[in-house]
Amino acid sequence: HRGPKKSAARPMTTERSRCTHSIFGDRFWTKLFAGRAVELLGDPDQPHTYSYGPDVADALVTLGSVDPTLSAGADVYGRVWHLPALPAESTHPWLTRFAYAVGVEPRFTRLSPLLLRLAGLFLPEAGELPEMIYQWRTPYILDDSQFRARFGATPTPLATAANATLDWARSHYAT
């Protein structure tokens, strides 16, 4: 008996509405709407690939809908797919875009790996971040061209993704 056919899907860092445990999650929006410095990882000027949450969800549905028993689906399984992503851009323009949109100056502080390890004693998700910080110290650019070519998928345009995220954040965090 052979096990189920599998593939792996890798979204880039997720930027989206309703994603409260991400770099643009609860802590980011709460501080931003209060006009306080937001907490960022690594170097906010390094290029970074971000994915929009609904694009990730659509891509996962696409992968899950492929029948591996049909010849048309044979190439999908047994490999890693980088899911659709927005063009790489550093975190700094994202912060600036969001800050000016909510009427505050963009301000940030960098979280050190040591601080994250200490925070991990009380918040388990913070304790997992030091091993991921490499993604924000150097350029983190992933190539989604194979997924795009195979499935005809394209990411939501940056302005649309950013505006939808802002609309959600305003309804969720603005006082």
Side-chain angles (χ1 to χ4, degrees):
H1 168 60
R2 292 174 44 186
K5 294 194 178 241
K6 301 174 191 164
S7 63
R10 288 190 179 154
M12 290 42 144
T13 304
T14 305
E15 176 280 317
R16 71 162 280 207
S17 56
R18 297 179 192 85
C19 187
T20 59
H21 295 289
S22 74
I23 191 167
F24 301 116
D26 284 336
R27 294 181 64 83
F28 177 88
W29 292 110
T30 301
K31 289 177 182 284
L32 189 70
F33 277 103
R36 295 172 37 212
V38 299
E39 299 161 338
L40 299 178
L41 300 172
D43 181 352
D45 293 315
Q46 290 295 323
H48 193 89
T49 303
Y50 286 99
S51 294
Y52 181 51
D55 293 341
V56 171
D58 290 346
L60 292 173
V61 168
T62 297
L63 285 173
S65 300
V66 175
D67 186 343
T69 63
L70 301 177
S71 61
D75 65 323
V76 173
Y77 291 88
R79 61 183 293 178
V80 173
W81 293 96
H82 289 243
L83 303 182
L86 297 164
E89 181 178 49
S90 72
T91 304
H92 210 199
W94 282 98
L95 166 60
T96 302
R97 182 180 298 123
F98 289 148
Y100 288 143
V102 302
V104 300
E105 286 296 315
R107 295 181 16 216
F108 68 91
T109 184
R110 293 183 184 141
L111 295 176
S112 72
L114 176 60
L115 179 63
L116 291 170
R117 283 188 185 88
L118 291 172
L121 297 173
F122 307 99
L123 301 165
E125 58 272 5
E128 297 171 9
L129 289 174
E131 69 185 59
M132 304 302 292
I133 208 163
Y134 71 92
Q135 295 177 8
W136 286 276
R137 282 190 174 150
T138 60
Y140 189 73
I141 302 170
L142 300 178
D143 181 2
D144 65 350
S145 62
Q146 290 182 8
F147 191 94
R148 289 182 191 216
R150 172 61 173 83
F151 298 105
T154 57
T156 299
L158 185 142
T160 303
N163 288 334
T165 300
L166 277 163
D167 288 344
W168 172 81
R170 282 185 184 109
S171 70
H172 195 71
Y173 297 98
T175 54

